[in-house]
Each structure stands twice: as C-alpha cells, then as structure tokens.
Amino acid sequence: MSSITTNHTARLLAIDRLRTAMMLVVMFGHAMLPYVTSPRRFNDPASSVWFDWVGIGLYAFAMPVFFVTAGFAGAALLQRRGTRAFWQHRWLRLGVPLLVGYAVLTPLTRAAYEFAVVTSTEASIAAGWQYVRELHWLRWSKLYHLWFLASLILFSAIAFFADRVLQRISSRWPFALDSVLGSRLTQASGCIWLGLAAGTPMALSYIGGTGQGTDAWMQLALLGFFGLGWWLQSRRDVRVMQSQHWRFAVAGTIVLLPLSVWSTQTRLLNEQTSDLVTGLIAGFANGLLGAFATTGLLGAAQIYWRSSSRLMNYLNDISYWVYLVHYPIVIAAGGLVSVLPSTAMTKYLLSLALAIPTVLLIVETLRHLMARRRATIH
C-alpha cells in the first residue's frame, strides 16, 4: 500500500473513531440530565450549575459532530458499495433498529422515567418499583433518543436524491457552488461562515421552540451538518486543510462556550415563552460553537487519532448498540441513586457505575446472540 493510500485510510479511520466517540459522549451527557438546574421530566433533588455548563456544552457540539461524521460515513458507503447495498444497509442498520427499538425501548424508557420520578419524589425505591408494577408505562408515543435513527433515514434519503439530482444537472452552478464552498472551508474563517449558516435555523428553533434536537428548525440545522459530512467525503483537500486549522477552531470553541451555555440555560429556563433576543443569541452561539467544534475535532482527529488499537476497535464495534440501549438504563440508574443524601457529582458517578456495566452486559449478550444466529445461518 502506498504512503498516500495509507495516509488517506488513516484519515478515514480517524473520522470513524470520532463518530464512535460522539456516540459515547452523548451517553455520558444523558446521564447528566437529572442533575441540571433546567426543568426536566426527571430532576434529582441534588442539582448543580456545573452540570448545566458541561451538559449544554456537550449537547452543543456532540450532535453536530456526530451528524457530520454520519453523513461522511453514508457517502463513503454509497461510493464503496453502490445504491442497492447502500439502501440495504440503511434498512438493516437504521430501519430495523428503529422499529424494534420503538416497540421495546419506548415503553421501557417511559417505565424508567416513571420509576425515577416516583422514587425521587417519595425518596423510596419501593414506591418507584410499585408504580412500575402497575404498568401505566405500557404505551407507545415518543421516540425518545431513537429520534436520531429516524433523522438519519430522512437525511440519508435527502442527501442521496440531492446527490443524484446534482449529478444530472447540466448547468455549471453545482460545480461553482462546490468550488465556492471548498474555497471557504479551506480557510480558518470557514468556521464562521459555517456557524452562521447553522445558526440561522438554530436561532429560529430557540426563539419559537425549545432548541431540542427534534424541533423542525433544529432538524434543518442537523441536516446541514449531515450534508456537510456527505460533501466532505469527496473533498479530501478540505479535510486536509481542517487538520491545519484545528487549533484555531478549538480556541474558538472555548471562547464561544460561556456564551453558548449562558444563553441556552437562560432560554431553557423559560422554554414555554418566546424570547427573541435570547433565542437569537442561543441559536447563533450554538451554531458557531458547533461549527468550530466540528472543524476542530475533525482536524485534530486526523492528526492524533489515526492509528488503530484493540480498545478503539472494540468501542467502535459496540458504540452504536450502546447508544441504542443506554437511555432507559441511565434514567433508571439515576432514579436508584436519587434516594441517597449525596452531592450531584457523587450521584452522577454512582449512576454511571450502575449503568455502564449493565449496558455492556446487555450489548455483549445481544452481540453473542447475533453472532450465534449468523453462525447458524451459514
């Protein structure tokens, strides 16, 4: 293998590793939610502004970075295996888990929430368990954390058909657009342009909505990040330049973080009312932070995260399944520790100590069963 090919393969591996990391980061972020001061369905009696800062900071960059890497992986899959295999993969990787997850995980997540709320309110694990035994939770409505599967299916379809349409347009404007976008994003200032583009729908989400990932305007912003990743797959030159600007992008992320956290926290504390000024600040601060963090992490990963290791290979194998099954478990774990007279940090660490082994046990059991099924088929 030539050095050029080896270098390119290492860069692709780095982006795949980054996608794995973002899935795991979101799991740790979900475990923080009971301890933020913003009102949520389940808030532990012990809360801390520190968790507001960390949680909002993680949310501001984890989803944009994840959708960029997911778009990149989708385009690479289509290029490598073709249309038929691409859609077969989308169905098996996204469609089937969405249907099964909705049938199984949605009621379990509702049960975990009810257990956590009752346990925390009455300071009694027995009361929470009794409420769960009454089966009020056995119904289906929200997707909860599975919304990202539905979004990935929708975004994949939009990117696929947009790609096909652009390939068939005879005019020169798609090539001009590609050239302009490439020239912008190979410069350090490209983070600003990207952030302003993402910040526009995000601002509309924070002004009239709650800024949650399922909000229509927020979905548009995440679609933009997915599309960026799809486009980056064919622009190796832009990816190489990102690795040269990563320090500038990381510095911008750090500078923007206080403004992002303050404005988002202020907006979430008043999520039932529209707020033009705070919504504008929150939207554009989060859009810019997402753009800077995406560029910085993509660039840094291509430099420092290019080698393979047994641990990273294992995490890469399990990260998707960890994300699928973790949500009701971290909520239930938060409910269990809510009865303890401890600080928010202590409870958070204890909930992770309960949740992580449970998640890994379930994931390894599922992997073992699937491996046995494949062996039986073959």
Side-chain angles (χ1 to χ4, degrees), residues 72-290:
F72 186 96
L77 173 68
L78 178 62
Q79 183 185 64
R80 186 174 66 252
R81 299 177 59 182
T83 300
R84 182 181 179 85
F86 173 80
W87 285 113
Q88 286 177 341
H89 181 275
R90 297 289 90 174
W91 165 245
L92 293 175
R93 185 75 168 175
L94 303 176
V96 173
L98 176 60
L99 294 177
V100 175
Y102 183 74
V104 176
L105 293 175
T106 291
L108 290 179
T109 301
R110 188 183 299 277
Y113 265 123
E114 292 185 356
F115 168 78
V117 170
V118 174
T119 298
S120 175
T121 303
E122 300 191 19
S124 169
I125 295 176
W129 176 241
Q130 177 59 38
Y131 198 83
V132 170
R133 290 175 60 188
E134 295 173 3
L135 301 182
H136 297 300
W137 49 270
L138 196 57
R139 58 187 190 275
W140 291 260
S141 56
K142 296 176 61 175
L143 286 174
Y144 293 105
H145 69 300
L146 298 177
W147 66 265
F148 93 104
L149 293 174
S151 295
L152 285 176
I153 294 171
L154 176 61
F155 295 173
S156 296
I158 293 173
F160 175 84
F161 288 110
D163 195 14
R164 289 297 181 268
V165 169
L166 290 175
Q167 289 180 18
R168 287 166 172 75
I169 291 178
S170 58
S171 67
R172 299 170 62 181
W173 72 263
F175 303 100
L177 178 62
D178 180 81
S179 177
V180 170
L181 187 60
S183 65
R184 291 287 187 189
L185 295 185
T186 52
Q187 303 173 20
S189 60
C191 298
I192 300 175
W193 292 103
L194 178 61
L196 292 175
T200 300
M202 284 188 180
L204 292 171
S205 175
Y206 278 103
I207 290 171
T210 63
Q212 301 298 314
T214 52
D215 183 89
W217 287 112
M218 190 62 71
Q219 282 284 294
L220 182 60
L222 294 176
L223 172 60
F225 282 107
F226 183 91
L228 173 65
W230 187 283
W231 174 79
L232 280 174
Q233 194 276 331
S234 64
R235 292 300 301 264
R236 189 187 306 182
D237 58 324
V238 178
R239 302 199 306 270
V240 171
M241 290 302 296
Q242 286 177 331
S243 63
Q244 298 181 19
H245 300 314
W246 76 270
R247 289 183 178 85
F248 170 78
V250 170
T253 303
I254 295 172
V255 170
L256 285 163
L257 183 59
L259 180 62
S260 171
V261 172
W262 168 82
S263 58
T264 303
Q265 182 188 36
T266 303
R267 184 67 188 92
L268 291 179
L269 287 172
N270 301 282
E271 64 176 6
Q272 302 302 323
T273 59
S274 178
D275 187 334
L276 177 61
V277 175
T278 307
L280 280 173
I281 296 173
F284 282 103
N286 282 298
L288 287 165
L289 188 144

